[in-house]
Structures are given as structure tokens and as C-alpha cells.
Amino acid sequence: EEVEDASEPTKRDRSHLESTLKLNEDKPADDFSGVLQRLRKIYHSSIKPLEQSYRYNELRQHEITDGEITSKPMVLFLGPWSVGKSSMINYLLGLDDTPYQLYTGAEPTTSEFTVIMHGPKLKTIEGIVMAADSARSFSPLEKFGQNFLEKLIGIEVPHKLLERVTFVDTPGIIENRKQQERGYPFNDVCQWFIDRADLIFVVFDPTKLDVGLELEMLFRQLKGRESQIRIILNKADSLATQELMRVYGALFWSLAPLINVTEPPRVYVSSFWPHEYHPDTHKDLFLKEEISLLEDLNQVIENRMENKIAFIRQHAIRVRIHALLVDRYLQTYKDKMTFFSDGEMVFRDIVEDPDKFFIFKSILAKTNVSKFDLPNREAYKDFFGINPITSFKLLSQQCSYMGGCFLEKIEKAITRELPDLLGSIGLGKKPNVLSCDITGCGENPKNRYKKP
């Protein structure tokens, strides 16, 4: 008997992928070490003192480490189980049929948070090692406990794209499994990665468009990050044209209540895997959509320094507003206290109804603060439940003869230093010109006034 071998599916041409992501270019990567050193100096000298003094981390649960300042852009893959997240990473990096490829399948396969990063050779790193290494940006993940660290894994791959970006693959959302069953706070971990991601791919499969409680929770966590979200309708070549149009409409209908913005996120329709598109499907459309998505990814890589500086500046603005609010709470408390007052009762009255004492309105009135940047009033009930108001100092007392005032330093960073740093990149200057000799970002800046 003659048995015919099943023909292997033909592989798709990857030239568009390599040209769009500039994988064939031999030019050295831009050296931003001077800019990063200056940025780190601004953060430690002008932002962190106020952040620590008013315990901002306990309000937002977002502590910035040196590893995070120097880290590469992060691309996060989210979505239901078995929609093609791991296959998409394999495709983008060309890992299929190599020892490096991520495991994929029709059943839920990824049970860990997998960080794919650059390294000289293929290497797997355990979560406990990643968290212990302070040079990496993942050390804050220790706070989620040892159970989570067992579900965190790092893979180093010698790939040119990973020299400029880091991918994070997440466990698929399974609607009938609550996060408590995972043994660690799944939603909190997702939030940690969402807060730090430069680009978020939310991947869907035409057969998994039902939106349940777990997916609703995920989109609530994505609130305010709409500009980073890209929705992907994957495996599009498995449907006929008419079916695809219906599925596309159904996807928008399902997501409309979850994404309450004027301009909806961009939806890309294609099939992100290495095999040729199915015959009699819109190959040209799928290819154009794929190139458009790759251009989006490349844009994030190209703008990595601008995004990093803008992120630190946004963080500084939030720290400043928090300090102003705590200062106002403290000032109100001191004004209301008399010799016979019960301090605890006086402060409880202020925290329960801050509007009665014009706390938030006074911040808006006297400073350049947007009302959209103000934190939630309820958050301060929890914050002061942990941190007694008497443990803080007024902003006017946070000054020293040599070091200057905390508030003045952070305002200078927001209005002058960080925009100047951003402008130096935007004007097309060579990044490495911003050395410490010029900017004075080292510990011993040059004294320009000293006679030779």
C-alpha cells in the first residue's frame, strides 16, 4: 500500500515583517545612556524625596525602580484562553519549529506569566530569580507572594527585535475560573503589568467573543490606557467573508459597553501565525492589517525614550498633587484643632467629608492642577487609615538650606528639566551628546564659575 504523506502547510513570506520592524538593518542601536542617567538623576533628586515623604506608593501601589527607568518598552498580550497569543509571539520572533518556541495548543496552554527578553543564548529564568535581581524591572513582583513567583517565568532569546522590546505573555482568561482559584491575585498582577506596558494587545478568536465577568474586570483595569490598547481579531482567515463581517460586528457590540471612549481602540483583523492564509480569503486585506500593526509596534520602539520621559513626568505630576492634598489635609487638621479637641474625631470629620472643608477645590484653585488628575476622595480614607495625619510634615517644613524645598524641586522637574530632556531628543540631537559632562547629571557636576 502506498501511503501519501500529508503535505506540510506552506510557510508565509516574512520579508514584510523584517522590513517593517527593521530587523535587517545593521546600524547600532541608539545610545541613550546619557539621557537615562540624567532621567534617573532627576527622579532620585527631585521626585523620589517627595514621593517617600508623603508615602505615595501606599496610595497608588506603584513604586518606580531604576530597573523600570532603564527597561525596554514592554508589549503585553492579554485575552481569553487559546486565542493565539503565544502563536503570535512565536510568529513575530520567527520561533516556530525552533527550540525557543512557546508551547501552543487548542487547550489552555499558558498557565504562567512569561516574559520573553533578549539574551546572548537561550535560557530560562525562574520567577524567584527574576524578582531577586534588582537590575531587572521585575523585583516589585515579590509583593504578590511565592505562589505567584512560581507562575512567573523568563525566557532569554538571542533575537534582534528583543534587543529593543520585551514581550509578556499572560495566562488566558477562563470565565468559569475565579482568580482566587489560581492561588495568587491574578487581577492585581495583570494591573501591575498594565501599568507598565507601552503597548497592550488584547487578542480575540472568532469563536470566543463572549464577554463574561473576568473579561469585564480586565477592561475595567484598562481604563485610562485606551491609547495603548490594540484589539486583535485573530484567526480571521478561518472564516468566510460574510461570517467575518458578522463576527467583526459582534466583537464591537460586545466591547462597546466596556470601552467608554469617544474614539474606539483600533481593531486589527488578520491571522498572526506563520502558515499561509487560507485560500479564497482576503489575503491582501489581512497582510495590510498585519503591516499596520507592525508599524504600530515599531513606532512604540522608536519613541521609547520620549515615552519613558513622559511617563516619569506624569508620575511626578501625580506625586505633586498627592503631596499638595496631604499638605492641605494636614493644614485643615491643624486649623481645626484646639486645646480641648479630640484629634481623632476632628480628623475623621475631615476625611469623611473633605468637600465641607474645600480640600480638593482649594488645590484646583491655587495651583495648575487639572480636575481630571485629582485622585479619588475615597482612596484617602484608606490612605489615612494606614498613615496617621500626624506622621506627615507640612510642605513648608520640607525645605533645607543645602537641598532646597521638595515642592520647588519637583515643580522645576515637571516644568523645566523633563521637558528640556524631552526636547533634546525631539530636536533630532544625537542622544549620546547628552553626556554627564554637559548636563551635570553625575554626582560631581562641573563648576562652570570656577576660575581656570
Side-chain angles (χ1 to χ4, degrees):
E1 287 184 6
E2 290 184 5
V3 180
E4 289 186 4
D5 291 333
S7 60
E8 285 285 319
T10 52
K11 295 290 177 74
R12 201 186 301 172
D13 178 36
R14 291 179 56 87
S15 58
H16 66 285
L17 203 147
E18 290 169 357
S19 61
T20 309
L21 294 176
K22 303 179 181 176
L23 299 181
N24 292 326
E25 293 185 9
D26 292 329
K27 69 169 190 173
D30 292 329
D31 178 20
F32 286 113
S33 56
V35 181
L36 285 170
Q37 194 171 350
R38 176 67 179 146
L39 183 60
R40 199 161 53 234
K41 179 72 176 175
I42 291 170
Y43 173 70
H44 282 287
S45 64
S46 303
I47 302 169
K48 196 166 186 177
L50 200 64
E51 185 183 332
Q52 290 179 326
S53 180
Y54 288 95
R55 298 172 203 167
Y56 176 76
N57 184 41
E58 293 185 25
L59 180 79
R60 288 269 307 182
Q61 291 292 305
H62 190 166
E63 188 176 357
I64 294 180
T65 61
D66 280 354
E68 191 172 341
I69 293 173
T70 56
S71 65
K72 297 166 190 168
M74 184 191 290
V75 179
L76 183 63
F77 290 78
L78 298 168
W81 59 275
S82 195
V83 293
K85 299 188 294 293
S86 302
S87 298
M88 187 172 172
I89 294 172
N90 284 337
Y91 172 59
L92 291 173
L93 297 175
L95 301 182
D96 294 275
D97 303 324
T98 71
Y100 310 149
Q101 72 173 0
L102 304 181
Y103 181 60
T104 61
E107 74 284 1
T109 51
T110 305
S111 61
E112 297 101 0
F113 282 81
T114 310
V115 181
I116 303 99
M117 50 200 161
H118 183 263
K121 60 179 182 179
L122 178 66
K123 182 176 161 188
T124 302
I125 305 168
E126 296 296 326
I128 50 173
V129 177
M130 288 174 68
D133 186 355
S134 58
R136 299 184 193 275
S137 56
F138 302 102
S139 51
L141 286 168
E142 261 187 323
K143 68 182 177 185
F144 296 117
Q146 296 304 307
N147 277 352
F148 165 68
L149 294 181
E150 289 173 11
K151 294 291 184 181
L152 175 68
I153 191 165
I155 301 175
E156 287 188 349
V157 182
H159 192 280
K160 194 157 185 182
L161 179 58
L162 294 175
E163 290 176 10
R164 301 185 294 153
V165 71
T166 298
F167 289 142
V168 178
D169 192 13
T170 60
I173 293 163
I174 303 174
E175 288 297 343
N176 60 1
R177 180 186 296 172
K178 297 288 180 282
Q179 64 156 319
Q180 291 84 354
E181 295 173 32
R182 297 180 188 264
Y184 61 90
F186 176 73
N187 289 345
D188 292 343
V189 174
C190 280
Q191 189 67 62
W192 189 92
F193 281 104
I194 287 167
D195 286 342
R196 287 155 181 79
D198 296 82
L199 199 57
I200 301 166
F201 291 149
V202 186
V203 188
F204 287 94
D205 175 317
T207 62
K208 296 186 179 72
L209 296 183
D210 54 321
V211 176
L213 290 172
E214 294 292 296
L215 207 55
E216 272 187 44
M217 172 64 80
L218 177 68
F219 273 93
R220 274 204 293 275
Q221 292 178 279
L222 291 168
K223 211 84 176 150
R225 302 303 301 270
E226 285 81 8
S227 61
Q228 277 100 12
I229 299 171
R230 304 291 182 272
I231 291 169
I232 296 168
L233 182 57
N234 201 13
K235 308 182 186 179
D237 68 337
S238 62
L239 300 174
T241 306
Q242 194 173 7
E243 275 185 294
L244 182 59
M245 288 173 67
R246 286 176 180 160
V247 165
Y248 187 84
L251 178 62
F252 255 102
W253 184 81
S254 299
L255 298 181
L258 306 179
I259 307 173
N260 189 19
V261 288
T262 312
E263 189 178 332
R266 177 79 160 82
V267 179
Y268 295 91
V269 182
S270 191
S271 293
F272 292 91
W273 68 335
H275 306 304
E276 276 290 357
Y277 299 115
H278 284 190
D280 304 321
T281 56
H282 289 279
K283 300 178 187 178
D284 292 343
L285 169 68
F286 297 153
L287 184 59
K288 282 177 183 173
E289 288 279 279
E290 187 176 308
I291 290 171
S292 185
L293 181 74
L294 295 174
E295 285 170 348
D296 251 6
L297 174 57
N298 194 57
Q299 193 70 40
V300 165
I301 295 169
E302 295 287 331
N303 296 340
R304 61 195 180 280
M305 272 315 306
E306 288 91 334
N307 293 340
K308 190 78 72 179
I309 295 167
F311 165 71
I312 295 294
R313 186 172 180 273
Q314 183 186 45
H315 177 78
I317 289 169
R318 287 179 176 148
V319 170
R320 174 178 166 269
I321 291 171
H322 170 67
L324 288 167
L325 280 166
V326 174
D327 177 69
R328 185 64 192 168
Y329 271 102
L330 180 56
Q331 188 64 63
T332 306
Y333 171 73
K334 286 180 178 289
D335 291 346
K336 296 295 171 190
M337 277 294 288
T338 66
F339 185 74
F340 301 103
S341 300
D342 180 341
E344 197 174 321
M345 195 175 291
V346 168
F347 192 64
R348 193 184 307 130
D349 188 32
I350 298 169
V351 170
E352 288 297 325
D353 190 4
D355 288 343
K356 187 167 82 176
F357 301 95
F358 303 103
I359 285 176
F360 283 79
K361 285 184 181 176
S362 64
I363 299 300
L364 285 173
K366 69 173 185 178
T367 57
N368 53 337
V369 175
S370 166
K371 65 178 181 180
F372 302 108
D373 289 334
L374 286 177
N376 187 345
R377 290 156 172 72
E378 296 299 312
Y380 281 92
K381 289 183 184 177
D382 297 334
F383 177 77
F384 286 120
I386 303 165
N387 303 289
I389 190 66
T390 50
S391 63
F392 297 104
K393 286 183 183 178
L394 290 170
L395 275 170
S396 57
Q397 298 171 343
Q398 301 274 26
C399 297
S400 67
Y401 179 72
M402 295 295 290
C405 296
F406 285 180
L407 186 61
E408 286 175 10
K409 288 169 81 172
I410 200 168
E411 284 181 345
K412 183 182 172 188
I414 292 167
T415 56
R416 281 177 44 205
E417 293 176 336
L418 291 171
D420 286 352
L421 198 58
L422 192 60
S424 66
I425 300 170
L427 289 171
K429 294 180 184 175
K430 290 184 179 177
N432 52 7
V433 169
L434 266 169
S435 69
C436 289
D437 289 340
I438 294 169
T439 60
C441 56
E443 289 304 316
N444 299 307
K446 284 187 175 181
N447 184 350
R448 296 180 179 81
Y449 306 103
K450 186 179 177 183
K451 290 182 180 179

